[in-house]
């Protein structure tokens, strides 16, 4: 008998929908009085909520699309960012929750210009700094805008795109963090506000990523994490007096970052190893020489998992987002003493999703290292199930799968599959060397990693004919590449907002993103043949197994045309292709109603196609 898809009332599918319906909460800021600002998707899209010191939860926004924001330092006023239906043309809004009727469903934009992008870069009590591509739609300028009268000043109009701007406490300096033309790299520039002069303070011709900038209280210098000098991310200190970088904190095979509070006297230290986090706090001491950390006090997390944290401006409040493969994202907090004791610091859970008990039923996930044909090892998270397997490949590619909650992975686990979540070469989190091993001409080496994973799975008892690929964005490309370059290994694939041709992707992605992506993939002008040779579409006749394609109509990164052309080509070959397009989504599915439609259908599709091998 040919296996059928789950009926709509099947217990497994019912549990999958319960998992996908679980709300998650993320801490985005914390005020000096302990009020927490969170992103929570209880209503179907991620909106801003407050969790107040007495435990009351108050919804602040009810925009039509995802809203996020930050407090103005020393205030409960909010600077909010939101786009329209996933188009990523973010606009900025100011909200005073103490005078507004909550939740607000709309606000006047600070600048009424929905055709361009406005990204918050820096914020203080008097002004904000934003970047915008309104001048030519490609390059982003930096603009400082005063809150009280809206007066604007152009800080930078020299082109490029920005990740962050940070102002020194005395207002004398600004540091901008801009993308450079080296792969997975950026450039730090220092602006002397008085002299009106910019100075490049990192080597633009040497690959390196620089992270968030945190200034000392006396404005004598700042910290930034970086991997230009070390394979894994370490912390360096830039001292204004001698215009030099000084190594501050580095550990083997660990990514280390430091964030200071606004007062610049307390350090929040995060370490990331194999996708798992540890957090600690330390009081910072400054003197005539380099700053020094006091004794580190660990933060007690609920279990092994992934955590990110926010510290209040006065350093007295800590907010933590924590999750693990069986623990959906929740927000925790702690009030901190003026002087840290010996610790550890205990956290109090502040958000509680109804129905989260279902996540506890999931099987455990283990970290493994999978050997490759050339002597490397692929880090991967594996959850054991039956003799079928699904590989879920992350996007980026300069990103990573972490030891954290994923409702899509959980849904695949509930369906009974063995689930493999790999960090193939090109992934971040495992050193710059590993992240650079798929650049431009090396693209197909990462696709070969999928074959190595298949070989390992078969050696672990998985049926060789019952392995499927699943992935989003670059992971979607990997699905299509795996099924066209190595079609004999895969029984089915689910491509979510993936690229079917690297040539047409580079030609049609939004203009402001093109130069940024050329660093990783190569340019059409100089590397057309390389891009063509690594593209699934020219060899789509090889794709003969069932394919599901999911895409958002407003995707500014990977245009809908990438999905349309691959679906048309697969169907023209006479192969099965189910295509789902959502008119109110961009690069991925952010609305729960669409997730509840698409992802259970993907679960049904994979269960049917992988079970069909047995018939």
């Amino acid at each position: 008998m040919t296996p059928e898809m789950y009926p709509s009332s099947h217990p497994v599918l019912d549990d999958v929908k319960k998992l996908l319906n679980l709300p998650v909460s993320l801490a985005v800021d914390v005020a000096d009085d302990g009020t927490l600002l969170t992103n929570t998707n209880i209503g179907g899209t991620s909106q801003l909520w407050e969790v107040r010191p007495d435990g009351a939860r108050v919804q602040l926004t009810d925009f039509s699309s995802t809203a996020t924001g930050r407090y103005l330092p020393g205030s409960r006023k909010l600077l909010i960012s939101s786009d329209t239906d996933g188009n990523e043309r973010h606009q900025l809004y100011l909200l005073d929750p103490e005078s507004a009727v909550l939740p607000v469903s709309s606000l006047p934009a600070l600048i009424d210009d929905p055709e361009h992008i406005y990204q918050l870069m820096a914020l203080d009590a008097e002004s904000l700094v934003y970047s915008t591509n309104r001048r030519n739609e490609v390059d982003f300028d930096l603009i400082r805008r005063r809150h009280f009268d809206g007066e604007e000043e152009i800080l930078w109009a020299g082109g490029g795109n920005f990740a962050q701007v940070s102002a020194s406490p005395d207002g004398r300096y600004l540091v901008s963090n801009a993308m450079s033309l080296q792969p997975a790299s950026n450039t730090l520039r220092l602006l002397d506000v008085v002299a009106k002069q910019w100075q490049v303070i990192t080597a633009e011709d040497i690959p390196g990523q620089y992270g968030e900038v945190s200034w000392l209280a006396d404005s004598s210098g700042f910290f930034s994490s970086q991997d230009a000098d070390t394979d894994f991310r370490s912390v360096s200190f830039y001292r204004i007096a001698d215009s030099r970088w000084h190594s501050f904190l580095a550990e083997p095979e660990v990514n280390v970052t430091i964030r200071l509070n606004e007062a610049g006297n307390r350090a929040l230290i995060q370490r990331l190893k194999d996708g798992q986090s540890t957090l600690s706090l330390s009081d910072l001491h400054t003197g005539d020489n380099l700053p020094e950390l006091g004794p580190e006090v660990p933060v007690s997390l609920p279990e092994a998992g992934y955590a990110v944290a926010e510290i209040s401006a006065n350093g007295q409040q800590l907010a933590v987002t924590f999750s693990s493969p069986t623990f959906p994202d929740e927000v925790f907090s702690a009030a901190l003493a003026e002087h840290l004791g010996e610790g550890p610091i205990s956290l109090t859970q502040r958000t509680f999703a109804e129905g989260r008990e279902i996540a506890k039923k999931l099987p455990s996930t283990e970290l493994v290292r999978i050997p490759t044909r050339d002597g490397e090892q692929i880090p991967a998270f594996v959850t054991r199930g039956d003799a079928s397997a699904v590989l879920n490949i992350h996007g980026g590619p300069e990103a990573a799968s972490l030891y954290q909650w994923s409702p899509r992975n959980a849904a695949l686990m509930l369906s009974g599959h063995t689930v493999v979540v790999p960090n193939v070469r090109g992934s971040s989190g495992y050193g710059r060397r590993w992240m650079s091993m798929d650049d431009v001409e090396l693209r197909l080496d990462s696709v070969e990693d999928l074959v190595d994973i298949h070989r390992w799975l078969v050696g672990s008892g998985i049926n060789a004919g019952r392995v499927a690929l699943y992935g989003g964005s670059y992971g979607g490309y990997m699905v299509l590449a795996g099924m066209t370059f190595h079609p004999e290994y895969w029984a089915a694939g689910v491509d979510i907002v993936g690229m079917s041709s690297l040539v047409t992707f580079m030609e049609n992605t939004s203009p402001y993103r093109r130069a940024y992506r050329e660093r990783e993939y190569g340019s059409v002008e100089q590397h057309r043949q390389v891009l063509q040779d690594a593209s699934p579409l020219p060899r789509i006749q090889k794709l003969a197994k069932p394919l599901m394609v999911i895409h958002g109509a407003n995707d500014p990164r990977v245009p809908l045309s990438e999905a349309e052309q691959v679906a048309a080509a697969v169907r023209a070959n006479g192969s099965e292709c189910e295509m789902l397009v959502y008119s109110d989504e961009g690069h991925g599915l952010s609305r729960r109603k669409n997730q509840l439609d698409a992802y259970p259908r993907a679960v049904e599709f994979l269960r049917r196609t992988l079970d069909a091998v047995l018939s």
Side-chain angles (χ1 to χ4, degrees):
M1 183 178 71
T2 302
E4 301 293 336
M5 290 194 298
Y6 292 131
S8 59
S9 60
H10 192 282
V12 170
L13 199 57
D14 291 344
D15 282 348
V16 165
K17 292 177 179 177
K18 290 178 183 177
L19 275 174
L20 294 170
N21 211 32
L22 277 177
V24 295
S25 295
L26 312 175
V28 294
D29 207 349
V30 55
D32 286 347
D33 67 354
T35 301
L36 301 169
L37 184 63
T38 71
N39 268 128
T40 305
N41 63 347
I42 290 175
T45 60
S46 189
Q47 299 295 324
L48 288 167
W49 290 64
E50 280 188 335
V51 182
R52 295 178 176 167
D54 62 1
R57 298 188 67 187
V58 179
Q59 185 175 357
L60 303 181
T61 64
D62 190 20
F63 285 16
S64 61
S65 294
T66 296
T68 189
R70 287 169 53 187
Y71 288 122
L72 274 65
S75 169
R76 287 274 304 289
K77 292 182 179 179
L78 294 167
L79 204 291
I80 297 173
S81 174
S82 184
D83 70 356
T84 301
D85 291 338
N87 66 6
E88 298 189 10
R89 293 197 288 269
H90 289 90
Q91 306 294 296
L92 300 176
Y93 310 87
L94 189 63
L95 171 66
D96 184 351
E98 296 182 347
S99 62
V101 178
L102 302 175
V104 296
S105 58
S106 64
L107 288 167
L110 294 182
I111 301 148
D112 188 10
D113 183 15
E115 297 304 310
H116 296 102
I117 298 170
Y118 292 81
Q119 298 173 325
L120 178 64
M121 294 286 107
L123 183 65
D124 61 32
E126 297 181 357
S127 64
L128 64 94
V129 176
Y130 66 84
S131 66
T132 178
N133 66 340
R134 68 189 178 199
R135 177 167 53 87
N136 62 11
E137 298 190 356
V138 176
D139 295 305
F140 284 78
D141 300 336
L142 290 179
I143 313 292
R144 176 157 44 196
R145 178 187 176 90
R146 294 196 302 196
H147 297 314
F148 72 92
D149 62 2
E151 181 178 325
E152 294 191 343
E153 173 189 7
I154 298 174
L155 301 175
W156 173 263
N161 201 342
F162 296 87
Q164 184 212 11
V165 173
S166 182
S168 62
D170 65 3
R172 174 68 186 272
Y173 301 101
L174 285 175
V175 176
S176 74
N177 188 329
M179 299 172 190
S180 79
L181 296 181
Q182 298 291 328
S185 300
N186 49 21
T187 299
L188 298 186
R189 295 186 183 94
L190 179 70
L191 171 65
D192 186 321
V193 175
V194 176
K196 306 287 187 184
Q197 292 180 341
W198 285 97
Q199 174 189 359
V200 177
I201 57 174
T202 58
E204 294 186 280
D205 58 345
I206 298 176
Q209 281 189 327
Y210 292 84
E212 180 178 351
V213 166
S214 285
W215 284 89
L216 295 184
D218 63 3
S219 301
S220 63
F222 57 85
F223 293 105
S224 179
S225 62
Q226 57 89 21
D227 61 8
D229 298 328
T230 52
D231 190 27
F232 283 72
R233 295 179 75 92
S234 60
V235 178
S236 295
F237 177 73
Y238 185 84
R239 188 161 54 189
I240 298 294
D242 57 13
S243 300
R244 286 183 52 205
W245 287 98
H246 302 265
S247 179
F248 187 78
L249 183 60
E251 298 178 14
E253 298 189 356
V254 177
N255 284 325
V256 187
T257 60
I258 283 182
R259 173 185 293 179
L260 304 185
N261 62 323
E262 290 284 338
N265 60 355
R266 179 156 287 173
L268 169 65
I269 304 157
Q270 176 173 316
R271 292 174 172 87
L272 182 67
K273 182 178 176 61
D274 285 331
Q276 298 181 11
S277 301
T278 61
L279 300 175
S280 62
L281 290 162
S282 174
D283 289 325
L284 195 69
H285 306 288
T286 59
D288 295 334
N289 297 311
L290 295 178
E292 296 181 357
L293 291 174
E296 284 191 46
V297 180
V299 176
S300 293
L301 300 177
E303 59 189 52
Y306 178 72
V308 292
E310 304 288 336
I311 190 167
S312 61
N314 65 3
Q316 303 291 300
Q317 305 289 339
L318 180 69
V320 176
T321 305
F322 175 83
S323 79
S324 79
T326 57
F327 195 108
D329 300 74
E330 298 283 18
V331 175
F332 297 75
S333 71
L336 306 174
E338 183 176 352
H339 298 287
L340 298 172
E342 295 182 359
I345 294 168
S346 298
L347 297 174
T348 300
Q349 187 170 341
R350 303 299 302 280
T351 61
F352 301 86
E354 292 186 10
R356 61 178 295 119
E357 295 78 15
I358 191 173
K360 297 179 181 178
K361 302 177 183 178
L362 296 170
S364 61
T365 297
E366 60 178 321
L367 172 69
V368 302
R369 292 287 198 280
I370 298 174
T372 70
R373 71 273 172 199
D374 55 357
E376 300 288 346
Q377 291 191 323
I378 305 165
F381 299 109
V382 178
T383 309
R384 306 286 177 173
D386 62 22
S388 67
V390 180
L391 279 63
N392 188 357
I393 308 117
H394 67 73
E398 317 99 319
S401 292
L402 303 168
Y403 195 76
Q404 65 182 163
W405 175 248
S406 165
R408 286 189 287 170
N409 287 339
L412 296 171
M413 296 173 199
L414 272 184
S415 192
H417 307 294
T418 292
V419 180
V420 182
V421 184
N423 281 301
V424 296
R425 64 192 71 200
S427 302
S428 63
Y430 296 88
R432 172 161 283 276
R433 185 191 74 89
W434 185 250
M435 185 169 59
S436 302
M437 289 179 69
D438 70 338
D439 291 349
V440 193
E441 291 88 351
L442 305 177
R443 179 66 42 216
L444 292 177
D445 287 352
S446 63
V447 182
E448 291 279 352
D449 283 350
L450 303 179
V451 177
D452 291 325
I453 296 170
H454 186 283
R455 184 180 301 114
W456 178 83
L457 282 168
V458 173
S460 302
I462 298 298
N463 185 323
R466 301 184 66 208
V467 185
L469 298 174
Y470 186 111
S473 192
Y474 180 76
Y477 159 79
M478 291 286 279
V479 169
L480 299 175
M483 296 182 74
T484 52
F485 285 92
H486 304 286
E488 66 272 25
Y489 292 98
W490 317 111
V494 177
D495 156 32
I496 304 172
V497 298
M499 306 94 80
S500 56
S501 166
L502 296 181
V503 174
T504 57
F505 159 64
M506 293 302 301
E507 289 175 335
N508 298 321
T509 191
S510 296
Y512 61 88
R513 288 185 53 82
R514 186 168 297 123
Y516 172 54
R517 301 320 294 150
E518 286 177 348
R519 308 179 312 170
E520 170 72 23
Y521 297 107
S523 71
V524 174
E525 291 76 16
Q526 298 180 36
H527 304 94
R528 176 178 284 271
Q529 194 59 50
V530 172
L531 297 171
Q532 184 79 352
D533 290 346
S535 293
L537 193 63
R539 49 197 48 78
I540 204 66
Q541 72 278 2
K542 303 279 189 182
L543 199 160
K545 301 294 176 61
L547 177 69
M548 174 177 278
V549 178
I550 300 170
H551 219 97
N554 307 312
D555 192 339
R557 303 187 185 196
V558 180
L560 178 60
S561 54
E562 291 296 305
E564 293 172 330
Q565 65 190 12
V566 75
V570 170
R571 290 166 178 165
N573 291 339
S575 299
E576 177 185 348
C577 182
E578 183 176 353
M579 182 171 176
L580 307 175
V581 178
Y582 296 90
S583 62
D584 53 356
E585 296 283 9
H587 193 61
L589 305 184
S590 64
R591 300 177 188 276
R592 188 177 296 125
K593 66 180 179 66
N594 296 331
Q595 296 168 356
L596 287 171
D597 180 67
Y599 298 146
R601 291 168 71 172
V603 167
E604 293 176 283
F605 169 82
L606 290 170
R607 189 76 266 174
R608 171 176 63 83
T609 53
L610 294 180
D611 284 354
V613 176
L614 300 175
S615 61

